[in-house]
Amino acid sequence: MSRATLALTLDGTPRSAEVEARSTLAEALRRDFGVTGLRVGCANGDCGSCTARVDGACVKTCLMLALRADGADVATLQGLADGEDLHPVQQAFLERRSFQCGFCLPGMVLASIDLLARCPRPTEEQARAALAGSLCRCTGYHDIVRGVLRAAELLSRRDEE
Amino acid sequence: MTFTFHLPRSAGEAAELLADAPEGTTLVGGGTLVVPELASGLRRPEHVVDLSRAGLATISLLSEDTLHVGACTTYQQVLDCESLRARLPLLQHVAAQITGGVQIRNQGTIGGAAVAARPHSDIPAVLVALRATLHARSAARGTRQVPAAVFFRGAYEHALDPDELLEAITFPLPVPPEWSYVKLKFGEGSWPIATVVCTGRVGADRMLTDAALVVGAAAAVPLVVLTPAAAAVSPLGPELAEDLARQAERALTEPWSDVLATGEYRRAVVGGLVRRALRPLLAAGDRP
């Protein structure tokens, strides 16, 4: 079979589409499911711009064949905000000017959320290490790290309320 | 270019699929190395067999002296496994240092790294140092065991037959109590230029026994400088460290050259890395 149906849950909604067997999940999500909240930057697993959460784990979707994700729960950057209410990591990134073109955000934001779930009060070193799977061409990483630390503050403030 | 995609639910089913067309089938474990090759057209198989649902990702104690790690076990599973903390901390340490971020730790597999047999990588030398056994499975012949010491045949070359898949890796326990791991790379996103894996037991008399010293990422295959079979070499001290550093340099007769570093560079740094790797063991020898 060179095409098959891929059924998955995408940002909370059950979806299905016909995909080519040779598609990576990144390609299928973009082309067949209309997702723009991840990009194909290097197609080699280096840049992290294709990052999504699949069955709870951050992965580089350019490294997964699409059909492997049959039945999976997929969460992308697009599903984080609740209408106008941004996720604290998104809010923090805005406040700290943590992006310019935004291409790298899928990896940066999802890896940050993953870090803060495991380590609510990261050091700068830990924040920096958590971003190791992403490449950014615009910012020099400095303000992204500040964004992660600000997100930790916002999350702990939210938990105290 | 297209292929037929298969998602077998067991290792047996995967082996049968592979047996149908060994030369025209690509196996996918984690996918971190193979999928880009498929996407770019470097590999053009007729069939792709994805192993993610074949039940090959478990870690278990087969007995007090054998630890079983399924071939599709990810680096993150290694990190999350409580029983590895005490029994195989070296493997957890290496898993934590794998390049590529949380995503690669979630996706990359120990078995995939072994089968890829990349010269400039972490896992092969670790498997050799830990005296691991690789378990190969074919539909025609069942399973066979291949010691890590002979699994890596050359650059990108492993000892599996075309109709075999790697099912699991087992480690003999207990591992020696002292260990260290040194990895040289200059960019966060870089493959290693050289690694040194060291394990051993340091007696009250400061003698180093049951020791393994393996240089990784510096040649086509892991370079063994010391094996546990060797008798106690000499008391642990700066002279032994110097001796082993020079032995490593001399043994590296065909260092690996690539875009990260020339062979000459790898040979130039390996002695220093061996000395660095031995420091924790020297310190263990100095403990009262």
Side-chain angles (χ1 to χ4, degrees), chain B residues 79-238:
Chain B
L79 287 168
D80 291 339
C81 181
E82 266 312 308
S83 69
L84 289 186
R85 210 164 307 283
R87 292 193 175 85
L88 214 47
L90 167 58
L91 193 63
Q92 287 195 328
H93 178 87
V94 173
Q97 288 194 54
I98 291 295
T99 295
V102 60
Q103 302 95 323
I104 298 300
R105 289 196 295 276
N106 281 329
Q107 294 176 271
T109 67
I110 309 290
V115 170
R118 295 207 166 181
H120 46 86
S121 69
D122 293 79
I123 287 295
V126 174
L127 299 183
V128 171
L130 288 173
R131 291 170 278 176
T133 299
L134 292 100
H135 299 258
R137 179 178 182 149
S138 65
R141 297 179 300 291
T143 57
R144 69 182 177 105
Q145 283 70 51
V146 184
V150 298
F151 184 82
F152 303 101
R153 289 270 177 81
Y156 314 98
E157 241 189 274
H158 53 69
L160 298 177
D161 294 327
D163 65 343
E164 282 180 325
L165 62 98
L166 180 68
E167 195 170 20
I169 301 171
T170 53
F171 297 87
L173 299 177
V175 301
E178 307 298 334
W179 58 271
S180 80
Y181 188 74
V182 169
K183 173 171 171 169
L184 181 68
K185 67 176 186 180
F186 291 127
E188 180 57 61
S190 171
W191 291 95
I193 290 168
T195 69
V196 179
V197 195
C198 190
T199 64
R201 182 177 308 276
V202 180
D205 50 2
R206 297 176 89 237
M207 295 296 276
L208 177 67
T209 57
D210 200 21
L213 184 68
V214 182
V215 174
V221 298
L223 181 76
V224 177
V225 179
L226 258 189
T227 64
V233 283
S234 67
L236 258 185

Side-chain angles (χ1 to χ4, degrees), chain A residues 1-2 21-22 24 43-45 48 51 57-60 62-65 67-71 107 111 114 118 130 132-134, chain B residues 1-7 28-32 35-36 38-39 48 50-53 100-107 188-189:
Chain A
M1 39 136 185
S2 55
R22 65 181 181 144
T24 62
N44 200 48
T51 300
C58 283
V59 294
K60 291 176 176 174
C62 75
L63 302 178
M64 287 178 74
L65 290 173
L67 291 175
R68 174 190 178 117
D70 196 44
D114 178 272
R118 287 182 286 108
S134 286
Chain B
M1 186 275 307
T2 191
F3 48 75
T4 303
F5 179 84
H6 307 267
L7 199 56
V28 177
T32 61
V35 172
L38 290 168
V48 167
D50 187 300
L51 298 172
S52 59
R53 307 208 191 175
V102 60
Q103 302 95 323
I104 298 300
R105 289 196 295 276
N106 281 329
Q107 294 176 271
E188 180 57 61

